[in-house]
Amino acid sequence: MSERPSILIVDDEVSNIEILSATLEEDHDIYFATTGTEAIEIARTTLPDLILLDVLMPGVDGYEVCAAIKADPLIADVPVIFTTALGDQEAEVKGLMLGAIDYITKPILPVVVRARIRNHLDMKRMRDELAEMAVTDALTGLGNRRRLEKVLNQETSRLSRSGGLLSVIILDIDFFKKFNDLYGHTAGDRCLTMVAAALNRAVHHANDVTIRYGGEEFACVLPEIEHPEAMEIANSIRDRVQALGIPHSGSDASPFVSVSLGVATALCIPGSQPDSWIRAADEQLYVAKAAGRNLVAGIVFATDGVLPVASSG
């Protein structure tokens, strides 16, 4: 995968795309679109680092494209720079109000375009680094609750367009309060980091996300993973945590630290509520705990009302 920043150029005039591409292609990966509708689809597919967007286009104009981008959780954070020959302050204000970060006036000056884009990409990189710190759990290095909310919003938005599957696992360390009381908080922190490492080893897909949900509770977001495979992953997590062999004399479930897990899988449809997966997985976590802990329980549910259609233990 290229480490160069990627830029999506959107313009109905191919000659303008060629000029901008020639100006930027030495240091950037370039995508292009000639219509507003195409631009939105390519942006969702490629997730560019920056979008250069023409204002005046037939059909869906640049303002409508910008508004659609900023309303889409998957691509809302991508900076948009308008390119226009308007020279109209009112038009510039309108674009900035819609969420654009800058304007470039045509005909372009290559040295100016490169400098502005370099500055905006540098600012984006710094924002991304700060944003990553804000959604990372300091102890385990996993994502935190804020990251969970963001990922669920993005994935349900993305997958609802194709009716894709989404699976979520919620897990809890069994009798962790007793562990802290018996062995102390330093040992408790070490236990949390070891469980987090076991969680990461069990999750293999590129788009999967692991989370410290809060306290001794963890989560996995598994896009495009069917329920049987999600159950296999959950059982692998349970087995890996047991294999750590961390003594826990205060547990009624096992002589070693163990986890209980709830798994929820559903098709994403337009209007799906991201927290539906959390509620369904939480309910299955309670099922696993009620059955004796150190167990996995799972369900396939329907997002239009969170109605269970199948379950497994």
Side-chain angles (χ1 to χ4, degrees):
M1 181 178 294
S2 173
E3 294 183 359
R4 303 197 315 168
S6 59
I7 296 175
L8 171 60
I9 302 171
V10 186
D11 201 303
D12 62 310
E13 293 287 341
V14 175
S15 59
N16 290 331
I17 292 175
E18 291 174 342
I19 292 169
L20 284 167
S21 181
T23 300
L24 300 168
E25 64 186 0
E26 183 177 347
D27 299 314
H28 308 86
D29 292 332
I30 304 298
Y31 305 98
F32 66 88
T34 55
T35 69
T37 302
E38 184 185 22
I40 295 168
E41 291 300 322
I42 293 175
R44 290 180 58 87
T45 303
T46 62
L47 302 180
D49 292 297
L50 186 142
I51 298 173
L52 289 173
L53 177 59
D54 186 26
V55 173
L56 297 179
M57 295 188 295
V60 180
D61 67 19
Y63 297 127
E64 293 173 279
V65 173
C66 186
I69 289 169
K70 296 307 171 183
D72 189 328
L74 186 63
I75 51 178
D77 293 337
V78 179
V80 174
I81 297 177
F82 275 126
T83 59
T84 179
L86 289 174
D88 183 343
Q89 285 191 338
E90 185 176 336
E92 292 185 12
V93 170
K94 180 178 179 181
L96 295 171
M97 292 293 289
L98 287 170
I101 59 169
D102 203 353
Y103 263 86
I104 293 175
T105 302
K106 294 183 284 188
I108 69 163
L109 292 174
V111 65
V112 173
V113 171
R114 284 193 290 265
R116 286 194 177 186
I117 286 177
R118 182 178 63 249
N119 290 341
H120 284 301
L121 287 174
D122 285 344
M123 287 189 287
K124 180 181 184 294
R125 183 171 59 252
M126 289 186 285
R127 288 196 302 270
D128 288 347
E129 290 172 356
L130 290 172
E132 185 64 24
M133 290 173 61
V135 296
T136 301
D137 176 62
L139 176 65
T140 64
L142 304 184
N144 60 18
R145 182 184 290 266
R146 188 180 301 176
R147 176 83 183 275
L148 177 63
E149 294 171 354
K150 182 176 181 180
V151 168
L152 281 175
N153 283 328
Q154 290 175 335
E155 292 298 343
T156 51
S157 172
R158 179 177 72 88
L159 294 170
S160 65
R161 299 170 72 89
S162 60
L165 282 167
L166 178 65
S167 294
V168 169
I169 301 172
I170 299 289
L171 59 136
D172 199 52
I173 300 176
D174 296 323
F175 302 105
F176 188 69
K177 184 179 184 304
K178 288 185 178 180
F179 184 92
N180 268 336
D181 292 342
L182 282 167
Y183 302 103
H185 289 282
T186 299
D189 286 350
R190 188 162 56 249
C191 174
L192 289 169
T193 58
M194 292 175 72
V195 169
L199 183 63
N200 272 335
R201 286 194 295 271
V203 174
H204 304 297
H205 300 89
N207 291 331
D208 297 345
V209 177
T210 51
I211 301 288
R212 184 183 176 197
Y213 188 36
E216 70 274 23
E217 199 165 28
F218 297 83
C220 302
V221 180
L222 310 172
E224 300 176 275
I225 299 298
E226 296 185 1
H227 189 64
E229 185 178 356
M231 292 292 289
E232 289 179 10
I233 292 170
N235 277 293
S236 175
I237 294 168
R238 189 192 72 85
D239 293 344
R240 287 174 183 273
V241 171
Q242 277 279 280
L244 294 173
I246 304 170
H248 189 354
S249 61
S251 173
D252 296 333
S254 168
F256 303 103
V257 166
S258 62
V259 291
S260 301
L261 306 96
V263 184
T265 304
L267 288 172
C268 295
I269 61 174
S272 294
Q273 297 301 308
D275 61 356
S276 298
W277 279 263
I278 298 298
R279 292 199 305 270
D282 256 332
E283 289 172 3
Q284 292 304 300
L285 174 59
Y286 285 116
V287 169
K289 288 182 176 182
R293 302 184 189 243
N294 194 20
L295 295 170
V296 177
I299 194 168
V300 178
F301 71 99
T303 52
D304 52 350
V306 199
L307 301 175
V309 296
S311 62
S312 55

